[in-house]
Amino acid sequence: RKPYKSLLLEDILEFERRGHLLTRDLFADNHIIDIREEIAREFDLKLLEAYRHRCEVELGAEIGRGIQSAVEGDTLLRSKGVDVPFLQLFNLWKSSKTENIRKLTLSPRLARIAASLLGSESVCLYQDSLFVKRPGDGDTQWHSDLNLAPLD
């Protein structure tokens, strides 16, 4: 088993220069496999709900509520010429039936890493997000989410 990686000064400097950082070995491989499977299960559970919502927005509430499967929703949207964008889920740690997603999201270790990168003593979780862009999903237009997040 490989030891968990810690942040090095060069990691923090790279984050400050580039605004992002790719880290490896923050978690054991088996932990990543387990959490990936749990997240995939949660996504599958939420997929129908996401298609119903998109159909309600695009085609009307009555049509959206009548959707019985994700495949039906996808097929209907595409038949009406509606691009199906990537799917997004928020705050899985609150809605998940598994404790591992909650533990990962609220991990004190990850919070310390985030605080180190931001040069802060602590961080506050605003939300977690899962974005899934599948082959065939519509284009994502250039945009800014800044006005949606109440951050200074």
Side-chain angles (χ1 to χ4, degrees):
R1 177 176 161 189
K2 295 184 276 189
Y4 297 129
K5 179 182 172 158
S6 308
L7 282 184
L8 304 172
L9 179 58
E10 58 234 35
D11 294 327
I12 295 170
L13 292 173
E14 181 177 344
F15 179 78
E16 287 177 1
R17 274 193 304 274
R18 296 176 183 238
H20 66 275
L21 178 68
L22 172 63
T23 58
R24 299 198 186 274
D25 300 326
L26 285 179
F27 300 97
D29 291 344
N30 63 330
H31 183 110
I32 295 299
I33 291 168
D34 290 346
I35 200 75
R36 182 184 300 153
E37 289 172 358
E38 289 182 27
I39 289 171
R41 280 193 298 275
E42 287 294 319
F43 177 76
D44 289 344
L45 290 172
K46 299 286 186 180
L47 190 57
L48 175 57
E49 182 181 316
Y51 272 107
R52 282 183 176 148
H53 175 73
R54 184 67 178 188
C55 287
E56 284 181 23
V57 168
E58 296 291 338
L59 308 173
E62 189 174 322
I63 292 172
R65 282 192 296 269
I67 300 299
Q68 298 299 310
S69 72
V71 171
E72 178 187 356
D74 186 76
T75 302
L76 181 59
L77 286 169
R78 291 180 196 277
S79 74
K80 301 291 185 183
V82 176
D83 277 338
V84 178
F86 66 89
L87 297 167
Q88 42 192 328
L89 302 174
F90 298 96
N91 296 316
L92 277 180
W93 71 273
K94 289 181 179 179
S95 62
S96 173
K97 304 294 185 242
T98 68
E99 188 62 24
N100 284 336
I101 292 174
R102 181 179 171 78
K103 284 181 184 176
L104 175 69
T105 306
L106 302 178
S107 164
R109 186 167 164 265
L110 286 182
R112 281 192 304 276
I113 290 170
S116 293
L117 289 173
L118 296 171
S120 174
E121 289 185 27
S122 63
V123 292
C124 178
L125 178 65
Y126 173 65
Q127 73 181 19
D128 69 82
S129 307
L130 172 66
F131 297 90
V132 179
K133 181 131 181 150
R134 300 155 305 162
D137 282 351
D139 293 337
T140 302
Q141 302 301 316
W142 180 254
H143 68 284
S144 172
D145 292 334
L146 187 57
N147 62 339
L148 300 176
L151 307 172
D152 319 356

